[in-house]
Amino acid sequence: MRLEIAAGEVTTMFEYGDPGHPLGAALEEDLVLYPRDTVPGWIATALAEPAGPATAHRTHAEMAAATPTTARHDTNSPLFQAVLNAFEPDEPSMVYAKLTRKKQSDATPAEIFIEVGTDGYETRRVEVFPDGSADNASFDFDGERTRIDPNPVLPLTETVDGRLFVLESIAPSEFQAEWLAVEGLD
């Protein structure tokens, strides 16, 4: 928290989401030194904030031409596990699903993990490619090769083509593990 007093007025600011602020690094160091099974939600949020500016929307052709370069982060660290254990969906009724492609090719994701809001629209998506690379997108940003579906996707049983994908419901923590494996804890 930053407290400013100027011209007789007091202003408070909570800056843990600011990428330049040292609180995120201090929290990460503290969790490494003193591992715990769970952490408060505000710490998990501070550590899991996506870093960097949103990217401009690209055409499908531009995205298909891109090469996935995102390496997956270590998911076995105590810090990762503490943040994952503290994850709670923004809305309790969000839907989480995994789609596994039946016929795989290098150009298409082998697995797709989606988070769907109560309005029926995707809020976040992770795509894992056959070579192990991954990419992600949210309503805030497109990835190198990934973007969320602009159309409503609920109910999934009607919008997912069963000839192409195997659809399964997953726990929120399973989705968050995939998201953080791509996004990291920075």
Side-chain angles (χ1 to χ4, degrees):
M1 177 173 89
R2 184 173 82 191
L3 182 66
E4 288 183 4
I5 303 172
E9 293 193 26
V10 177
T11 306
T12 58
M13 297 179 73
F14 295 89
E15 298 185 44
Y16 57 81
D18 178 1
H21 196 273
L23 183 57
L27 289 171
E28 191 169 330
E29 185 177 304
D30 182 65
L31 288 172
V32 169
L33 290 171
Y34 307 102
R36 12 189 170 331
D37 292 334
T38 60
V39 294
W42 70 270
I43 291 177
T45 301
L47 293 173
E49 288 284 319
T55 57
H57 289 279
R58 293 178 301 238
T59 66
H60 181 70
E62 291 170 329
M63 292 171 71
T67 302
T69 56
T70 304
R72 294 169 61 81
H73 294 270
D74 176 22
T75 59
N76 295 317
S77 74
L79 173 62
F80 184 94
Q81 293 302 316
V83 170
L84 185 58
N85 289 339
F87 176 70
E88 292 184 25
D90 291 339
E91 301 171 18
S93 56
M94 294 184 91
V95 173
Y96 295 86
K98 174 183 174 183
L99 294 90
T100 304
R101 189 175 296 276
K102 290 182 177 181
K103 287 189 173 186
Q104 297 180 10
S105 74
D106 291 340
T108 59
E111 297 176 321
I112 302 170
F113 297 84
I114 59 172
E115 173 186 71
V116 182
T118 56
D119 60 358
Y121 288 87
E122 286 184 25
T123 56
R124 298 188 294 167
R125 171 187 279 245
V126 176
E127 295 181 345
V128 180
F129 293 85
D131 66 359
S133 64
D135 197 13
N136 64 339
S138 78
F139 61 86
D140 290 329
F141 65 90
D142 285 342
E144 286 295 319
R145 297 183 62 175
T146 302
R147 65 178 166 197
I148 61 172
D149 192 329
N151 302 306
V153 296
L154 289 181
L156 287 170
T157 53
E158 293 177 16
T159 58
V160 173
D161 187 341
R163 294 169 297 169
L164 300 176
F165 294 98
V166 174
L167 170 67
E168 67 182 280
S169 180
I170 60 173
S173 59
E174 186 176 346
F175 174 87
Q176 189 68 2
E178 294 297 328
W179 180 264
L180 293 176
V182 176
E183 194 65 34
L185 298 175
D186 300 332

